[in-house]
Amino acid sequence: MGKPTGFLEIERVKDSYEPVAQRLTHYREFVPALSDDAAKLQGARCMDCGIPFCNNGCPVNNVIPDFNDLVYQQDWQNALTVLHSTNNFPEFTGRVCPAPCEAACTLGINADPVGIKSIERAIIDKAWDNGWVVPQPAKVKTGKKVAIVGSGPAGLAAAQQLARVGHSVTVFEKNDAVGGLLRYGIPDFKLEAEVIDRRLEQMQFEGIAFKTNTVIGSSDIPKGIVNDAKTVVTPAELEAAFDAVILAGGAEVPRDLQVPGRELKGVHFALELLIAQNKQNVGGAANPINAKDKHVVVIGGGDTGSDCVGTSNRHGAASVTQLELMPMPPEQENKSIVWPYWPVKLRTSSSHEEGVERDFAVQTQEFVGENGVLKAVKLVRLDWVDGKPTPVVGSEFELKADLVFLAMGFTNPVASLLDSFGVEKDARGNAKASTDGVGCYQTSVAKVFAAGDVRRGQSLVVWAIREGRQAAREVDAFLMGSSTLPR
């Protein structure tokens, strides 16, 4: 513990953003990393508690007090070693993770928690700037080959872990570039493509092969899911060519809203906007959806909805309204009840600060149009009693809308992928694979494993990294009889 009284003397530093007017003119990241001095002070706030709840609050179990102290001591390279020991991609989580570790911080009981996320990002950004992140190819090859289906955080984490213990790894991706929703689902103003590309370059030097534009099983992909595939590979071909297969394709099927008028021009799934915009940002075709001077309604109050808000404002929307079915949460949680668990409370993102009207406890009844084109949304207010919603009689109202983005989450993986392998599914349509006991992450099909959202359902990037790492250990043990990889 570098400074025993640090938490009493030093206040948390809040993220500093570019002014709204400035950042709305571009799609680059606008949150600068902490300076060395600021990171040192933030590290000094860590109390090095006897029981560091932050470690368990973090899905990858980052050894947080240790790297906080090392940053306080300005021992950056050892801080990097500690950080990388549990997290393959801290540059991703340091940007887009909601930081459940901070919700579990002991200091957060009666003060602002330690700025763990900003310290994590400061470590890894400094490491990249100084050339400390280098390839770690295996010294000895095992002769075993592993196929990974999906190049999101779960697939990439599993790939890197397996390559480093000597297996030959090939990652298959149906879209035209590697990264899954890291690349195309998260706007560049939160996670720039260059941040992903530098890590992929390291992984290629470690011997990992990437095959893009390749779909596994079937090209029959549901509406709302981008598919750039030009090649179809069957499960039989994979199973014949590889010693193990990991399914890490995510939970891509978007939740739809089947109300009258759903077919109108102007009603889109959120990722139709977000993926097209990210492709345009790297020199692709112009986004076919343009919110300039349009009245935009975003249905769904989560991160994807927030991303639609930020993107629409960058287009120059006339107005943006975000709707949520649930009632408005409290602005401040009751910490005596919820700590150290993730609290339900009102969260205002940087995109919200750029301009949006937010409305809660409202239900969409109909999309209204003229000549097949969206013009408005009919809504009704809800009264929530004992966790059940009831429409309020006489509360119907209408919002002008030229564009609607459905950002209500994702229901399950693409069924054709799991069906083509013959993998047993759970009640929600996810790949059925336990994380307990013998055969963790193993599906009902011999030598086929599942990790990330394809197994657990829609979740966080940090949970995907955890599952990818853990599945890699199970695959290594399956192939070699035992594993030295961390659990």
Side-chain angles (χ1 to χ4, degrees):
M1 185 176 184
K3 188 172 178 57
T5 57
F7 70 96
L8 296 172
E9 302 168 6
I10 302 166
E11 294 184 356
R12 176 184 170 113
V13 172
K14 295 182 179 179
D15 288 333
S16 59
Y17 300 150
E18 281 185 12
V20 169
Q22 182 176 340
R23 68 184 192 243
L24 285 179
T25 63
H26 62 78
Y27 290 88
R28 299 184 305 276
E29 293 178 14
F30 52 81
V31 183
L34 294 176
S35 67
D36 288 6
D37 288 342
K40 175 177 180 175
L41 290 175
Q42 291 311 291
R45 297 186 72 238
C46 179
M47 300 187 292
D48 197 14
C49 335
I51 302 176
F53 288 90
C54 57
N55 288 13
N56 285 332
C58 172
V60 294
N61 303 122
N62 277 338
V63 192
I64 294 164
D66 291 35
F67 69 62
N68 283 342
D69 182 56
L70 289 164
V71 167
Y72 174 73
Q73 303 294 343
Q74 297 288 277
D75 187 351
W76 290 94
Q77 286 182 274
N78 276 324
L80 175 68
T81 298
V82 171
L83 182 55
H84 264 157
S85 70
T86 56
N87 187 352
N88 296 71
F89 313 123
E91 64 270 36
F92 304 159
T93 52
R95 286 167 166 79
V96 303
C97 184
C101 55
E102 294 185 13
C105 175
T106 304
L107 183 56
I109 295 174
N110 63 352
D112 288 332
V114 175
I116 301 166
K117 178 178 173 180
S118 61
I119 294 172
E120 177 181 19
R121 180 181 168 186
I123 295 169
I124 188 61
D125 281 4
K126 187 174 183 68
W128 280 108
D129 290 343
N130 285 277
W132 299 337
V133 183
V134 296
Q136 300 177 39
K139 295 180 181 179
V140 178
K141 300 294 285 186
T142 65
K144 302 292 186 180
K145 297 191 292 183
V146 181
I148 297 177
V149 181
S151 68
L156 294 179
Q160 187 164 66
Q161 293 294 93
L162 288 166
R164 287 179 174 179
V165 291
H167 303 305
S168 295
V169 180
T170 303
V171 179
F172 295 87
E173 169 58 53
K174 71 180 185 307
N175 289 325
D176 59 6
V178 173
L181 290 187
L182 287 170
R183 180 177 298 277
Y184 286 144
I186 299 173
D188 285 350
F189 55 78
K190 291 170 64 175
L191 175 64
E192 291 186 34
E194 289 81 357
V195 176
I196 303 167
D197 290 337
R198 65 188 182 188
R199 182 63 77 170
L200 295 177
E201 184 178 8
Q202 178 206 33
M203 295 175 69
Q204 287 175 316
F205 276 110
E206 292 174 348
I208 299 168
F210 296 103
K211 291 188 179 297
T212 57
N213 301 110
T214 304
V215 69
I216 307 302
S218 172
S219 58
D220 181 21
I221 304 297
K223 180 184 177 183
I225 300 176
V226 173
N227 177 20
D228 300 326
K230 299 175 182 177
T231 302
V232 178
V233 176
T234 68
E237 290 173 311
L238 276 194
E239 293 177 270
F242 294 89
D243 299 294
V245 177
I246 299 177
L247 304 181
E252 295 185 281
V253 179
R255 182 172 283 107
D256 207 344
L257 184 58
Q258 294 297 344
V259 298
R262 171 63 180 88
E263 76 287 350
L264 290 171
K265 183 180 179 180
V267 182
H268 302 274
F269 289 116
L271 290 188
E272 293 181 61
L273 169 74
L274 300 179
I275 292 177
Q277 188 59 53
N278 278 11
K279 288 191 173 190
Q280 177 182 324
N281 293 346
V282 293
N287 192 337
I289 304 171
N290 193 332
K292 183 175 176 58
D293 299 328
K294 302 285 181 64
H295 296 283
V296 175
V297 174
V298 179
I299 300 177
D303 287 341
T304 304
S306 172
D307 295 341
C308 290
V309 171
T311 302
S312 297
N313 278 323
R314 279 162 179 74
H315 282 193
S319 69
V320 184
T321 304
Q322 187 175 17
L323 307 177
E324 171 57 60
L325 189 73
M326 300 297 291
M328 181 175 175
E331 292 191 12
Q332 182 62 53
E333 76 275 21
N334 186 337
K335 293 184 180 182
S336 64
I337 295 175
V338 301
W339 181 89
Y341 301 108
W342 184 248
V344 175
K345 66 177 182 179
L346 183 66
R347 301 176 191 278
T348 300
S349 71
S350 58
S351 290
H352 292 143
E353 293 170 352
E354 292 164 2
V356 65
E357 291 291 328
R358 303 168 74 183
D359 204 348
F360 296 84
V362 292
Q363 184 178 51
T364 304
Q365 293 183 311
E366 183 181 354
F367 298 123
V368 180
E370 294 179 7
N371 300 319
V373 178
L374 177 72
K375 294 298 180 182
V377 181
K378 285 187 176 180
L379 304 156
V380 64
R381 299 204 174 275
L382 298 174
D383 185 17
W384 284 83
V385 180
D386 297 328
K388 296 181 179 180
T390 302
V392 177
V393 177
S395 68
E396 295 83 359
F397 67 106
E398 193 171 291
L399 282 179
K400 186 174 182 180
D402 303 301
L403 286 171
V404 164
F405 298 116
L406 305 179
M408 303 174 297
F410 302 86
T411 58
N412 51 265
V414 174
S416 61
L417 172 65
L418 303 185
D419 291 342
S420 65
F421 278 92
V423 167
E424 185 180 352
K425 292 180 280 191
D426 65 16
R428 297 184 297 160
N430 303 321
K432 190 174 182 180
S434 174
T435 58
D436 298 319
V438 179
C440 290
Y441 293 96
Q442 197 162 8
T443 71
S444 58
V445 177
K447 77 178 189 181
V448 177
F449 295 73
D453 290 6
V454 74
R455 189 203 69 82
R456 67 178 287 118
Q458 176 187 330
S459 191
L460 304 175
V461 167
V462 68
W463 271 107
I465 294 172
R466 171 197 173 103
E467 294 222 343
R469 288 171 60 88
Q470 291 188 342
R473 176 184 170 85
E474 299 303 322
V475 170
D476 186 36
F478 170 78
L479 296 174
M480 308 302 292
S482 63
S483 179
T484 58
L485 288 171
R487 180 70 171 86

